[in-house]
Amino acid sequence: MSAAPISSATATAPIPVTVLTGYLGAGKTTLLNRILTEDHGKKYAVIVNEFGEVGIDNDLVVDTDEEVFEMNNGCICCTVRGDLIRIIEGLMKRKGSFDGILIETTGLADPAPVAQTFFMDDDVRARTRLDAIVTVVDALNLASRLDDAPEAEDQVAFADVILLNKVDLVTPEQLARVRSDIRAINPYARVIETERCKVDLGEILDKGAFDLTRILSVDPDFLVDDHHHHNEDVRSISLKAGDLDPEKFFDFVNRETQAQGPNILRLKGILAFKDDPDRYVVQGVHMIVEGDHQRPWKADEPRESRLVFIGRDLDWAGLRTGFEACRIAA
C-alpha cells in the first residue's frame, strides 16, 4: 500500500489517531488487518499492544508496507504509556511519511488513560488529533463480560463507534438484548453490526468522531492524570517451543477448552507443525477455537511455536505440561 500524496497545506495539520479497543477476542486484529489490506490510498503507522510477555498480535498483523510498533509485557493504559508517548513523538519527526496512526490496545485496556495521552502531553496534543475510539464488541459474549469485566463496560462507555461483531453467532433475540445493553451504557455511539469486522472503512476512519464534551460527561475526571489498575484475577501464561506434533496439539487444545473453556478469556498462537512449511495460527474465546494456515515460514525466521492463554483460575501447570507434551523430541 503506497502513501497518499500529502500537500504542504496538510503536512502541518495534526495527524488523526484512531484507537481500536475491545475485550479479549472481540476481533480487533481482524479489523486492523482489514484497514491495512483495503485499497484506500492511505498509509498508517500502527502501534500494537498486548497482554503477556510473548508477542503474538504483532505477528498476526498481515504483511504490509506499514510500520508496526509492538509494545508488550505491559498494558498501554498503565505501565507502557510512556512508551506510547515516545513512539508518537518519534513518528511526529517524520513529517509526510504517513496519513494517520492506528493504535490497537490490549483487550484489557481501559480506553480512558489511552485517550488521556492525547490531551495530557503537550507535544502529543499539538501534533496529533484523537479522531475516534472504535470499540469492537463480541455479540456472543458481551453479556458475560459486562458481568465480570469492568474493562468491557468502560470500552463500550468511551466508544465513539461500536462494531457489534459476530452477529452471525447469535439469535435475533440475543442480538436485541446486546443492542439494549450497549444503549444502556452508551446511547451516543454509532453502532455498526458486522461479521468478521467487515465494515466500510469510511464509516470509522477520519470522521472526527471523538467528542471530549461527551467523555467529560461520562468521566468528569478524564483530564486528571491518574493510574489505571486491572482486575488482578486475570492472568496470562506464555508458552514457547519448536516444532509441535499437530495431532497431540489439537487433542491438547480440545481437551483444555472443553475442561476450562468458561475461564479461558482468550487463547492465541502461532505454531510450527512438524513437516508443515506454513505457519499455523490458532485463536479462541472460551470453548470456540478456530485455526488456519497463515503463510509459509520465511527462510530467515526461526520455526518457533508460541501460544498464550489469558483467563481466570486456570490450571496453569496443566496448560504448561500439556503444551510441553506436544513438542517433537529433538
Side-chain angles (χ1 to χ4, degrees), residues 1 27 42 50 54 116 125 160 167 182-183 189 202 225 231 264 296 330:
M1 194 166 8
K42 293 186 177 181
E50 58 186 302
V54 174
Q116 277 180 336
R125 183 177 60 201
D160 303 299
V167 295
I182 291 172
R183 285 302 176 210
D225 200 9
N231 188 337
I264 297 174

Side-chain angles (χ1 to χ4, degrees), residues 28-70:
K28 296 183 298 299
T29 303
T30 299
L31 174 60
L32 176 59
N33 283 336
R34 286 198 179 277
I35 295 172
L36 296 181
T37 54
E38 289 206 9
D39 185 16
H40 44 60
K42 293 186 177 181
K43 189 173 180 65
Y44 290 95
V46 181
I47 301 171
V48 176
N49 178 223
E50 58 186 302
F51 186 84
E53 62 190 30
V54 174
I56 297 289
D57 287 355
N58 185 47
D59 284 334
L60 294 178
V61 177
V62 295
D63 285 340
T64 173
D65 293 335
E66 269 68 349
E67 290 195 69
V68 179
F69 299 86
E70 182 181 16

